[in-house]
Amino acid sequence: MKERKKTRQIHIGDVAVGGGAPVVIQSMANTKTADVESTLAQLRALAKAGCQIGRLAVPDSEAAEALKAIVPYSPLPLVADIHFDYRLALKSVAAGIQALRINPGNIGSEEKVRAVIDAAKDADIPIRIGINGGSLQKDLLAAYGNTAEAIVESALREVKIFERYGFDRVKISVKSSSVLKTVAAYELLSEKVDFPLHVGVTEAGTLLKGSVKSSLGIGILLNEGIGDTIRVSLTGDPVNEVIVAKEILKDLGLRREGVEIISCPTCGRTKIDLEKMVNEVESGLAEVRPKRPLTVAVMGCEVNGPGEAKEADYGIAGGKGQGLLFRDGEIIGKYKEDQIVSVLVEEIRRNEL
Amino acid sequence: MKERKKTRQIHIGDVAVGGGAPVVIQSMANTKTADVESTLAQLRALAKAGCQIGRLAVPDSEAAEALKAIVPYSPLPLVADIHFDYRLALKSVAAGIQALRINPGNIGSEEKVRAVIDAAKDADIPIRIGINGGSLQKDLLAAYGNTAEAIVESALREVKIFERYGFDRVKISVKSSSVLKTVAAYELLSEKVDFPLHVGVTEAGTLLKGSVKSSLGIGILLNEGIGDTIRVSLTGDPVNEVIVAKEILKDLGLRREGVEIISCPTCGRTKIDLEKMVNEVESGLAEVRPKRPLTVAVMGCEVNGPGEAKEADYGIAGGKGQGLLFRDGEIIGKYKEDQIVSVLVEEIRRNEL
């Protein structure tokens, strides 16, 4: 991996973004913001899953009004997502929101953008300039087509307005639903500005396909040192966005925590029910928060099994109806197939909590 | 994306790998190879899903014997996966297999490796040198630790043996269960050899986490121009490996075919049941094989909806209880929420088959 690009640092509530801070995970509630109870419940679920910043759509006055009852009780600092009507941004700020996201392409005149900037300045909160391939200004589309260049040009145009009014607590996103266009836009933008970048592929799709798309776009960029906060965008329960985001950061060595389970794909050599066993290990360890980050290998055969199991902190190398249990590279016992997972979970609970 | 690295070309059956050929998707059956009927059924399912090369574990004589009844009826060219016992490789060749995969780290002496090479030479088939982080030779582990360097050194050592015996129809893999180690190993190897590379992250895990891990490792490498054939490695039904592999290639612009569905993540602005709608579109179009590659956008609101829907070949931009249907950037109608998906599917069936 390349060294992470040095960006300026902003804070959303007490969460630092950019400037060398660890990459931050964020997600967006898909409840009606006006439904205070449901929204708070989802924010709590997101926080529990490991989300660090929450975002709420503010499509109307009712939603902006609800922020007053949400912000003080939210377990996460919140970003109000504003489109079309700049007055909703002003109301969100008045309700105590910790950051704004505007897509200047649909906010309208520079005066309106300026009113939002002034409000944010007074409240001492940052603004995300969130450009989307799907909502570019007409003149940029005419000049560049729907390209990475058009998206970046749109972002730079807004940055100029913000700078003109002396506001630099800015975070930028330049998302597209195309992985390649997203990657190209962030690469280009990262060369041109040192504001912290919010990275994601937009409208990524359903759980599996969306996770692939997000992993590709976010992964390629993080591997190039680009990205200060990430959002995995999936159709459905946003808790899955957080699960996938955590997996991406863990796999890229940007976060070490909890238990990493590795398992073999199973093949004609496998003589135990490995899929069942891995699922049992996953559920047995789901709530386990070990003191140190742990790698647990669950392997089905004698080919790669002992090697991988030895490398891991804990490992199972399966044989016919039984398996070897490893800890820190040493065999600690041989157990029957139907017992080995509970012995493993018990060992980890005893030694690692 | 970087330009794809020029590698030599080999053929597995009639499938070209390397040398500028499109990136090939492969997977591995997880049936008992000795169970001919189950294995053939799974190979047919893999082929139907879009797999281009199949791999079978050959852990014993029974499996090698079964190849005689599998190879002639397989819809895919096949690779026999051999560990420990080089005689199983010889039997696989005798059974007509289209390629071998050996992990020289566990095959034993150079004479045994040579016997395998001679058999492959006579049969005119390629060999994959498949190095795994979990089964490195002891002297390399001692000299380098379990690092990318050790994995690559192990591969280069084998390449020398193959070259000494005048055999160059070689494909190489240097997998690890760590994404970063896998990426580092392939980057290093790609600088040193021009053999085609089989890319994957090994023991990637269960469906969701394994897909993230594979997308990261394979995606970062393909984006750097590295990789001639890919295998997504998941615990469970290998058909999912093919689905994820196709998604990776499509998202990186390395393959255009079928229907790409993009959908928004839903938020507090969404006034229709978008998740249900996207799933209906996915299932309605699952068997549709359009003449041209199509992008279909299913969007929940008026913010990014019309823009993304217009960019796509077909699009739905949802509103309250209804939605606009787009085709090639033009609105072709406004339909009720419970009708719009079937109108969309009907339109595509009428115009694109």
Side-chain angles (χ1 to χ4, degrees):
Chain A
M1 277 179 94
K2 277 200 199 154
E3 211 178 312
R4 284 185 63 204
K5 155 145 184 170
K6 274 274 161 58
T7 52
R8 306 184 201 189
Q9 190 167 79
I10 60 169
H11 285 82
I12 294 176
D14 54 2
V15 177
V17 175
V23 177
V24 171
I25 294 173
Q26 57 179 290
S27 181
M28 185 170 185
N30 63 1
T31 50
K32 301 279 166 233
T33 303
D35 179 348
V36 173
E37 281 318 307
S38 304
T39 301
L40 279 172
Q42 197 173 61
L43 289 171
R44 283 190 290 267
L46 287 170
K48 191 169 171 230
C51 186
Q52 297 166 280
I53 296 172
R55 181 157 50 114
L56 301 178
V58 183
D60 49 37
S61 304
E62 213 189 339
E65 192 62 31
L67 292 180
K68 291 181 194 162
I70 294 171
V71 174
Y73 302 103
S74 169
L76 298 173
L78 295 175
V79 183
D81 197 80
I82 313 291
H83 293 270
F84 304 117
D85 187 351
Y86 79 106
R87 289 166 302 183
L88 296 171
L90 307 186
K91 284 186 186 162
S92 301
V93 174
I97 202 81
Q98 285 89 352
L100 295 171
R101 178 267 169 128
I102 60 173
N103 181 342
N106 62 34
I107 283 291
S109 68
E110 187 170 326
E111 295 76 59
K112 291 174 180 170
V113 173
R114 176 164 192 184
V116 176
I117 292 174
D118 285 342
K121 211 187 271 184
D122 287 347
D124 214 20
I125 61 172
I127 298 178
R128 167 155 71 100
I129 300 175
I131 312 292
N132 259 12
S135 53
L136 289 173
Q137 286 122 318
K138 288 194 180 109
D139 64 318
L140 289 171
L141 281 173
Y144 296 92
N146 194 325
T147 59
E149 286 72 23
I151 299 173
V152 172
E153 202 49 49
S154 172
L156 295 177
R157 181 183 282 184
E158 299 310 321
V159 164
K160 279 205 194 92
I161 299 176
F162 280 69
E163 285 180 332
R164 198 178 315 141
Y165 297 119
F167 189 85
D168 64 357
R169 299 170 67 176
V170 162
K171 183 176 68 158
I172 310 178
S173 65
V174 284
K175 301 184 190 178
S176 155
S177 60
S178 146
V179 170
L180 292 178
K181 209 187 284 181
T182 299
V183 168
Y186 279 98
E187 287 174 346
L188 191 57
L189 182 65
S190 177
E191 283 171 19
K192 293 181 187 271
V193 303
D194 65 352
F195 294 110
L197 300 185
H198 162 117
V199 167
V201 180
T202 195
E203 290 100 37
T206 49
L207 183 58
L208 185 62
K209 294 188 176 190
S211 296
V212 170
K213 221 165 169 178
S214 291
S215 301
L216 291 169
I218 294 172
I220 287 169
L221 287 165
L222 287 175
N223 187 57
E224 293 175 355
I226 297 171
D228 300 289
T229 173
I230 64 173
R231 184 198 175 190
V232 171
S233 164
L234 300 172
T235 304
D237 185 348
V239 165
N240 287 323
E241 301 185 344
V242 178
I243 292 170
V244 171
K246 283 171 77 175
E247 185 66 29
I248 291 172
L249 294 182
K250 208 162 65 172
D251 290 344
L252 294 178
L254 292 167
R255 184 172 289 205
R256 281 216 70 183
E257 62 174 15
V259 181
E260 177 176 25
I261 297 166
I262 62 178
S263 60
C264 75
T266 74
C267 69
R269 288 190 298 270
T270 315
K271 297 195 187 74
I272 53 173
D273 187 347
L274 193 79
E275 189 172 5
K276 179 161 162 268
M277 193 177 267
V278 177
N279 286 329
E280 282 170 8
V281 172
E282 272 196 6
S283 58
L285 296 175
E287 303 287 315
V288 172
R289 300 277 172 273
K291 280 177 292 187
R292 56 169 185 158
L294 293 180
T295 305
V296 176
V298 187
M299 308 295 297
C301 82
E302 63 271 27
V303 172
N304 299 310
E308 289 283 350
K310 265 189 193 172
E311 279 292 312
D313 298 304
Y314 289 84
I316 291 173
K320 195 171 177 178
Q322 57 178 24
L324 296 173
L325 190 59
F326 290 82
R327 178 180 160 200
D328 293 328
E330 306 288 330
I331 296 176
I332 58 173
K334 183 189 275 188
Y335 299 92
K336 293 226 175 85
E337 180 172 356
D338 58 359
Q339 296 170 337
I340 195 163
V341 172
S342 53
V343 177
L344 169 77
V345 171
E346 199 38 58
E347 273 292 312
I348 290 175
R349 286 190 171 279
R350 189 167 60 235
N351 301 317
E352 308 291 345
L353 299 191
Chain B
M1 278 180 95
K2 277 200 198 155
E3 210 178 315
R4 285 186 62 203
K5 160 150 179 165
K6 273 274 161 58
T7 52
R8 306 184 201 192
Q9 190 166 78
I10 61 169
H11 284 82
I12 295 176
D14 55 2
V15 178
V17 176
V23 177
V24 171
I25 293 173
Q26 57 179 291
S27 182
M28 185 169 185
N30 63 1
T31 52
K32 303 279 165 232
T33 304
D35 179 347
V36 173
E37 280 318 307
S38 303
T39 301
L40 279 172
Q42 197 173 62
L43 290 170
R44 283 189 291 266
L46 287 170
K48 190 167 171 235
C51 186
Q52 296 166 281
I53 295 173
R55 180 155 53 110
L56 301 178
V58 183
D60 49 37
S61 305
E62 213 189 339
E65 192 61 34
L67 292 180
K68 291 182 197 162
I70 294 171
V71 173
Y73 302 103
S74 169
L76 298 173
L78 295 175
V79 183
D81 197 81
I82 313 291
H83 293 271
F84 303 117
D85 187 350
Y86 79 106
R87 289 166 302 184
L88 297 171
L90 307 185
K91 284 186 187 159
S92 301
V93 174
I97 201 81
Q98 285 90 351
L100 294 171
R101 178 267 168 128
I102 60 173
N103 180 342
N106 62 34
I107 282 291
S109 68
E110 187 170 326
E111 294 76 62
K112 291 175 182 169
V113 173
R114 178 167 192 181
V116 177
I117 291 174
D118 285 342
K121 212 188 270 184
D122 287 348
D124 214 20
I125 61 171
I127 298 177
R128 166 154 72 101
I129 301 175
I131 312 292
N132 260 11
S135 52
L136 290 173
Q137 286 122 317
K138 288 197 179 103
D139 64 319
L140 289 171
L141 280 174
Y144 296 92
N146 194 324
T147 58
E149 286 72 25
I151 300 174
V152 171
E153 202 48 51
S154 173
L156 295 176
R157 181 184 282 184
E158 299 310 320
V159 164
K160 280 206 193 90
I161 299 175
F162 280 69
E163 284 180 332
R164 198 180 314 140
Y165 297 119
F167 189 85
D168 64 357
R169 300 172 64 176
V170 161
K171 183 175 66 156
I172 311 179
S173 64
V174 284
K175 300 184 191 179
S176 155
S177 59
S178 146
V179 170
L180 292 177
K181 209 187 283 181
T182 299
V183 168
Y186 279 98
E187 287 175 346
L188 191 59
L189 182 66
S190 177
E191 283 172 19
K192 293 182 187 271
V193 303
D194 65 353
F195 294 110
L197 300 185
H198 162 117
V199 166
V201 181
T202 195
E203 291 101 35
T206 48
L207 182 58
L208 185 62
K209 293 187 176 192
S211 296
V212 170
K213 222 165 169 176
S214 291
S215 301
L216 291 169
I218 294 171
I220 288 169
L221 287 165
L222 287 176
N223 186 58
E224 293 176 354
I226 297 171
D228 300 289
T229 172
I230 65 173
R231 183 197 176 193
V232 171
S233 164
L234 300 172
T235 304
D237 184 348
V239 165
N240 287 324
E241 301 185 345
V242 178
I243 291 169
V244 172
K246 283 171 77 175
E247 186 65 28
I248 291 173
L249 295 182
K250 209 162 63 171
D251 290 343
L252 294 178
L254 292 167
R255 184 173 288 206
R256 279 216 71 183
E257 62 175 13
V259 181
E260 178 177 24
I261 297 166
I262 62 177
S263 60
C264 75
T266 75
C267 70
R269 287 189 299 269
T270 315
K271 297 194 186 74
I272 53 172
D273 187 347
L274 193 80
E275 188 171 5
K276 179 162 162 264
M277 193 178 269
V278 177
N279 286 329
E280 282 171 9
V281 172
E282 271 196 9
S283 59
L285 296 175
E287 302 289 315
V288 172
R289 299 277 172 271
K291 280 178 291 188
R292 57 171 186 156
L294 293 180
T295 304
V296 176
V298 187
M299 309 295 296
C301 81
E302 64 271 28
V303 173
N304 298 311
E308 288 284 350
K310 265 190 194 171
E311 278 292 312
D313 298 305
Y314 289 84
I316 292 173
K320 195 171 176 178
Q322 58 179 22
L324 295 173
L325 190 61
F326 290 82
R327 178 178 160 203
D328 294 326
E330 306 288 331
I331 296 176
I332 57 174
K334 183 190 275 188
Y335 299 92
K336 293 226 176 85
E337 180 173 355
D338 58 358
Q339 296 171 337
I340 194 163
V341 172
S342 54
V343 177
L344 169 77
V345 172
E346 198 38 57
E347 273 293 310
I348 291 175
R349 285 192 172 279
R350 188 166 62 234
N351 301 317
E352 309 290 346
L353 299 190

